């Protein structure tokens, strides 16, 4: 666009116009507004932004978000957590019962004397011992840790060099 066209466009944006609503039969003026194209543009833009914000807040903070794919209800999440905890406790109880039944079977088969049979000792056997878990780092983990430490040292050195150069 040439400069002249730009100036004409700017002038058209700020030319004042009157919006009048008349009664068709009596030509009585019911409503009147003085507007410019810029006022109309700004009003519609702000109205659109306001509408988008209101819609976003309604969806984000009301139960309507449950109808959007990918969102799950808070009640469903609570139920899932409760069921996960319950299933873990049921698994533990099942292991203890299995250990108890195996102990009783050993006593009935004669593999274990009755005097040595104790419910608490059998239940203690079913509890998993954390000392059995191998907690030593593998070679890949050690190498990864060394690489991360080396990268951190390089980043620190670069940031210190940058601070020194900024001070100068």
């Amino acid at each position: 666009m040439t400069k002249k066209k730009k100036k004409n466009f700017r002038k058209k944006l700020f030319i004042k116009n009157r919006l009048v609503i008349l009664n068709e039969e009596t030509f009585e003026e019911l409503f009147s507004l003085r507007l410019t194209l810029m006022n109309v543009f700004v009003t519609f833009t702000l109205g659109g932004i306001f509408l988008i914000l209101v819609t976003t807040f309604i969806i984000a903070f009301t139960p309507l978000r449950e109808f959007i794919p990918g969102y799950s209800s808070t009640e469903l999440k609570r139920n899932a957590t409760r069921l996960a905890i319950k299933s873990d406790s049921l698994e533990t109880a099942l292991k203890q019962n299995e250990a108890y039944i195996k102990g009783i079977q050993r006593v009935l088969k004669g593999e274990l004397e009755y005097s040595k049979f104790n419910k608490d000792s059998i239940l203690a056997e079913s509890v998993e011992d954390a000392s059995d878990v191998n907690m030593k780092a593998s070679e890949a983990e050690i190498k990864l840790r060394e690489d991360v430490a080396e990268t951190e040292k390089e980043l620190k050195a670069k940031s210190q060099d940058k601070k020194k150069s900024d001070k100068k």
Side-chain angles (χ1 to χ4, degrees):
M1 288 182 131
T2 63
K3 288 184 180 182
K4 192 173 186 179
K5 286 184 178 180
K6 283 184 181 179
K7 285 185 179 181
N8 285 339
F9 181 70
R10 285 185 190 153
K11 284 182 181 178
K12 286 181 182 179
L13 279 178
F14 294 102
I15 293 175
K16 293 182 181 177
N17 298 304
R18 182 172 294 268
L19 174 67
V20 179
I21 298 177
L22 299 172
N23 185 345
E24 194 171 315
E25 294 176 5
T26 62
F27 292 108
E28 178 186 355
E29 185 176 314
L30 299 176
F31 183 72
S32 173
L33 274 178
R34 287 181 62 189
L35 300 171
T36 63
L37 286 177
M38 182 59 90
N39 289 347
V40 172
F41 175 72
V42 169
T43 303
F44 278 111
T45 302
L46 291 176
I49 291 171
F50 177 73
L51 186 63
I52 290 169
L53 287 174
V54 167
T55 305
T56 303
F57 282 115
I58 287 173
I59 290 173
F61 298 113
T62 62
L64 286 175
R65 69 173 171 245
E66 295 172 11
F67 295 109
I68 298 173
Y71 282 104
S72 58
S73 69
T74 53
E75 184 180 342
L76 182 64
K77 288 179 183 178
R78 264 190 242 118
N79 288 341
T81 305
R82 190 170 25 87
L83 288 174
I85 292 169
K86 195 173 191 177
S87 67
D88 286 343
S89 63
L90 287 174
E91 283 180 12
T92 305
L94 181 65
K95 286 180 184 178
Q96 289 176 348
N97 286 340
E98 286 176 354
Y100 182 71
I101 290 171
K102 284 180 185 176
I104 290 176
Q105 286 175 347
R106 279 191 257 148
V107 169
L108 293 174
K109 290 180 182 177
E111 296 172 2
L112 186 67
E113 294 179 19
Y114 179 73
S115 61
K116 293 182 181 178
F117 181 71
N118 185 356
K119 183 178 180 181
D120 293 332
S121 63
I122 293 173
L123 294 178
E125 289 176 9
S126 68
V127 176
E128 295 179 14
D129 189 16
S131 63
D132 295 342
V133 179
N134 184 10
M135 297 297 285
K136 294 182 181 179
S138 67
E139 292 294 324
E141 288 175 312
I142 293 171
K143 187 174 184 315
L144 177 64
R145 290 178 187 173
E146 291 171 355
D147 291 344
V148 169
E150 187 177 313
T151 306
E152 286 178 354
K153 286 179 185 177
E154 291 174 3
L155 290 174
K156 280 185 180 179
K158 286 181 182 178
S159 66
Q160 288 176 352
D161 291 341
K162 187 176 181 182
K163 286 180 183 178
K164 288 178 183 178
S165 65
D166 290 343
K167 287 182 181 179
K168 292 179 182 180

